[in-house]
Amino acid sequence: MSSTTAQSGLARARRGVAPGGTGTAGGKRKSKLSAQATRTFFWLLLPSVVLLVLIHGYPLIYAAVQATHDGDLLQTGNFVGVQNFSTVLTSPAFWKAAQFTLWFTIVGVFGSWLVGLGLALLLRTKIPAGNTFKVLLLLPWVVPIVVSSTAWNWLVATPDSLIPALFRNLGLGTPLFLADPTLASITVMVFKVWVSFPFMMMMISAALASVDTTVYEAASMDGASPWQQFTQITLPLIARSTYISWILMTIFCVNDFPTIYLLTGGGPVNATTSLVVLAYRTVFQDFATGPGVAIAFLMTMTLVVISVILYRQIRKSSVE
Amino acid sequence: MSAAVHAHPQSGPALGVGQAGNARRVLSEAGQRGRWWRFIAILIITAVVLVPIMVTIVLAFTPGPNSTATGLTFENLSNVFSKTLAATWLKNSLVTTLSTVVVSVAVAAPAGYVLSRGRSKAVSGYSLLLFVMQSLPIITSVVPLFILFAGMGLVDNLLGLTIIYVGSTMTVATWMMAAYFDSIPISLEEASWIDGCSVFGSFTKVVLRNSLPGVLSTAIFAFLLAWNDYLVAIVFLRSNEIFTLPMGVQSFFQQNATDWTSVMALAVVMMLPPVIVFAALNKYFSVGGIGGSLAGR
């Protein structure tokens, strides 16, 4: 909506040039301004463009070169065509990592959404110290991942850590949270939900804040049950921000490196190796630059498609 | 909004005025009772959620196994600063992060202004490009950048790290600034042009001057990203004295037996700045529509 306002000002002034806008004095002033605006815009945008080319454009092109060549980190070798891609696509490790990434993403997105939604709903009504709780609950997202993974490590890593010891004292055995492949996968996903739910909570709270509460009073006078109010009123009203947050969280989960790497390093037995972790290890531990970059490239392609679709959707919904 | 309209009761007239008042009172009493349930539920959930953070703080101030101290102590903190390179790491993190924040805002604010005010194919194309770039895995750029920076002597170098951080914040930062500028009415600028102000002049004197929340929001985002980064640091930093805090904390794990008291002491040092920044400025962080919503992990 605000973009329409922006459109009217400078944009109108700039377009003033096109339809032979001389004639009136106002037209002259406008076209002078628009030429000046174009010049100013160019200089204002220049640093950003230079950085984008240097930090994003150049590496992307160079990555394409590396993905199609053999060689190592120090020297790009000979052109090998799609050989790196076929190496990657035929390796079981790649598909295992892709599968883990998929599960990690699904659990990460919907887990953090459900927890975030629940807390946003609880915090919507006025409760004592509500704002303090809001800030406290953001902490998992604000605290550096290196710090929180350290704490999680201390809590679960060894049989004598706090949580396994707690299980033992309850007579539930001593779960090896980071040594058992299944448990390690679950632990990493729970950790990811823990890190991400505040973001979802923020998004949903912002969406809920714009809902007129009299709607609920009216609905409950009408005899709508809380569940009906939730499904008929709340969910539709937060649908747009929910949709955006799902896709954003998908991108965050697919691209996530530290959450997994710091807690498990991708182990045990590669059980928690995601595509990013696999790409990192292929390049910097196995020194197979070509295949490593090929993995990153395959992810890039997938994410470009997702984000172009997302961009279109956001554009469309902000026009409506 | 259409859903809200449909949700309005059609049966309004069936209720008398008195009944409506009654219903409202009953409702708010239920609400009062609900508040305490909610309060207790939130209290328990928050306590459970914060266990890892509380554990970090408690361990940081608890005497270590070789210590003679009792009760809570600052021994771990002083040890970590006197016996390790913690002070250097802290300085490295601060220098890198603050440079990232300043340069990010300096690059993103003007670019965001163009995105917000300019309407041409080139501008909207650039906006799409920024959006796509922010979603790409940083691991793709890291390898080529490593080779490029190695040739320029920027590997194991804080300047190199800063350049990459600015590069990776600028996409979202530009969107955040653009979203904020969208909310500033263009009529303010038009008035200044009539007074003979240039486009650049109106940008700095009129728009930027009214954009403190937007700038702060962008700055917080850049701060969190640079302060918390691990992937770029682990690839680009080699030597102990160039480490930033995340690498410093991690370096304690390479020994056979982890020195938990030192780790936790340094972890507390590391989490303090973002927590302080967020506690003080979090009201600014909710602004910026899609921009704010992009700022996550």
Side-chain angles (χ1 to χ4, degrees):
Chain A
M1 255 170 267
S2 44
S3 65
T4 342
T5 331
Q7 210 153 7
S8 56
L10 276 181
R12 222 192 311 122
R14 296 183 62 193
R15 279 200 213 95
V17 202
T22 41
T24 63
K28 260 183 193 158
R29 194 180 59 79
K30 269 185 181 170
S31 68
K32 217 173 110 191
L33 183 68
S34 84
Q36 193 206 344
T38 312
R39 244 191 346 266
T40 312
F41 280 5
F42 171 78
W43 289 109
L44 290 179
L45 209 53
L46 191 66
S48 168
V49 175
V50 169
L51 259 174
L52 191 85
V53 169
L54 174 72
I55 301 296
H56 298 273
Y58 161 82
L60 213 56
I61 293 165
Y62 199 92
V65 171
Q66 282 181 317
T68 51
H69 286 68
D70 59 13
D72 53 33
L73 253 188
L74 302 174
Q75 205 170 10
T76 306
N78 303 313
F79 181 76
V80 293
V82 293
Q83 192 194 306
N84 288 324
F85 287 95
S86 62
T87 311
V88 164
L89 288 170
T90 52
S91 88
F94 173 81
W95 292 106
K96 198 176 174 204
Q99 203 185 0
F100 176 76
T101 308
L102 185 68
W103 282 115
F104 179 78
T105 303
I106 291 172
V107 174
V109 171
F110 293 106
S112 60
W113 183 70
L114 285 176
V115 177
L117 175 65
L119 286 169
L121 288 173
L122 267 176
L123 283 166
R124 181 181 47 174
T125 38
K126 249 180 115 57
I127 57 163
N131 272 330
T132 312
F133 284 121
K134 260 181 209 165
V135 174
L136 285 177
L137 284 168
L138 289 178
L139 283 180
W141 186 72
V142 172
V143 164
I145 202 84
V146 170
V147 172
S148 47
S149 69
T150 303
W152 275 67
N153 237 303
W154 187 86
L155 284 168
V156 301
T158 70
D160 295 324
S161 301
L162 192 70
I163 292 178
L166 201 70
F167 271 76
R168 189 165 55 232
N169 289 336
L170 291 170
L172 297 168
T174 310
L176 298 169
F177 285 101
L178 300 183
D180 174 84
T182 313
L183 274 184
S185 308
I186 295 171
T187 310
V188 170
M189 290 171 196
V190 173
F191 181 44
K192 182 64 183 173
V193 171
W194 183 84
V195 171
S196 313
F197 83 84
F199 172 76
M200 290 293 198
M201 193 181 83
M202 272 200 289
M203 292 273 299
I204 298 167
S205 288
L208 285 176
S210 61
V211 177
D212 184 3
T213 48
T214 55
V215 177
Y216 291 96
E217 284 178 32
S220 77
M221 271 192 277
D222 245 15
S225 71
W227 176 252
Q228 279 172 321
Q229 292 179 31
F230 173 69
T231 54
Q232 305 291 316
I233 307 175
T234 309
L235 279 186
L237 285 175
I238 61 168
R240 179 162 177 264
S241 88
T242 291
Y243 174 73
I244 293 174
S245 66
W246 279 354
I247 298 185
L248 287 173
M249 191 54 74
T250 303
I251 293 171
F252 302 152
C253 285
V254 173
N255 283 341
D256 190 25
F257 175 78
T259 306
I260 298 167
Y261 191 80
L262 286 169
L263 200 57
T264 65
V269 226
N270 298 335
T272 58
T273 299
S274 68
L275 287 172
V276 180
V277 174
L278 184 68
Y280 171 81
R281 294 213 299 209
T282 311
V283 174
F284 292 100
Q285 284 168 16
D286 306 341
F287 302 107
T289 312
V293 175
I295 296 167
F297 220 78
L298 289 168
M299 292 176 59
T300 303
M301 291 298 117
T302 317
L303 287 168
V304 167
V305 173
I306 293 178
S307 58
V308 169
I309 294 171
L310 166 66
Y311 184 85
R312 291 244 169 91
Q313 292 289 341
I314 294 174
R315 273 277 149 120
K316 224 193 283 167
S317 56
S318 54
V319 169
E320 273 161 12
Chain B
M1 266 342 254
S2 61
V5 175
H6 290 306
H8 263 292
Q10 300 302 311
S11 57
L15 283 170
V17 179
Q19 279 170 296
N22 241 345
R24 187 157 295 167
R25 201 167 63 235
V26 171
L27 210 79
S28 70
E29 274 164 15
Q32 287 294 328
R33 254 180 284 128
R35 278 175 62 173
W36 287 102
W37 280 113
R38 286 198 167 89
F39 176 75
I40 290 163
I42 282 284
L43 191 69
I44 294 169
I45 294 169
T46 308
V48 172
V49 161
L50 294 186
V51 162
I53 294 165
M54 292 187 292
V55 157
T56 311
I57 297 169
V58 169
L59 284 179
F61 296 103
T62 306
N66 304 322
S67 166
T68 52
T70 51
L72 293 182
T73 171
F74 285 91
E75 198 183 54
N76 305 328
L77 266 175
S78 63
N79 276 347
V80 87
F81 276 103
S82 61
K83 291 178 186 165
T84 71
L85 287 172
T88 313
W89 300 332
L90 178 62
K91 194 198 79 199
N92 291 345
S93 266
L94 283 173
V95 168
T96 317
T97 303
L98 293 180
S99 327
T100 303
V101 168
V102 171
V103 182
S104 284
V105 171
V107 171
Y113 178 72
V114 178
L115 247 57
S116 166
R117 299 304 196 237
R119 281 291 176 272
S120 70
K121 278 237 165 69
V123 168
S124 52
Y126 191 66
S127 140
L128 169 66
L129 201 62
L130 284 175
F131 190 81
V132 171
M133 290 305 178
Q134 66 84 25
S135 71
L136 299 187
I138 188 101
I139 189 84
T140 315
S141 342
V142 149
V143 183
L145 283 175
F146 185 84
I147 294 162
L148 176 70
F149 280 19
M152 299 162 77
L154 288 173
V155 169
D156 207 14
N157 182 314
L158 293 178
L159 177 63
L161 211 59
T162 308
I163 295 174
I164 299 181
Y165 290 159
V166 172
S168 46
T169 49
M170 61 157 287
T171 48
V172 176
T174 306
W175 264 68
M176 291 176 83
M177 289 309 310
Y180 193 82
F181 292 148
D182 279 348
S183 71
I184 295 177
I186 197 140
S187 52
L188 285 178
E189 282 157 86
E190 283 170 337
S192 79
W193 298 331
I194 289 166
D195 294 341
C197 204
S198 68
V199 175
F200 182 74
S202 75
F203 164 60
T204 53
K205 288 179 199 141
V206 180
V207 178
L208 263 190
R209 191 166 283 184
N210 287 299
S211 301
L212 184 68
V215 168
L216 277 178
S217 185
T218 308
I220 295 168
F221 165 73
F223 177 88
L224 289 178
L225 190 136
W227 188 264
N228 296 348
D229 166 76
Y230 181 69
L231 177 55
V232 178
I234 195 184
V235 170
F236 281 83
L237 300 183
R238 304 279 131 179
S239 31
N240 259 313
E241 63 274 18
I242 306 291
F243 280 179
T244 49
L245 278 174
M247 293 294 288
V249 172
Q250 272 310 101
S251 71
F252 288 142
F253 284 94
Q254 279 155 18
Q255 296 140 13
N256 283 335
T258 307
D259 174 11
W260 284 108
T261 48
S262 302
V263 171
M264 295 306 192
L266 194 57
V268 166
V269 172
M270 192 183 168
M271 79 168 135
L272 222 49
V275 168
I276 292 171
V277 164
F278 217 77
L281 301 174
N282 91 85
K283 66 170 179 229
Y284 292 110
F285 202 62
S286 55
V287 298
I290 180 63
S293 68
L294 277 172
R297 296 187 183 140

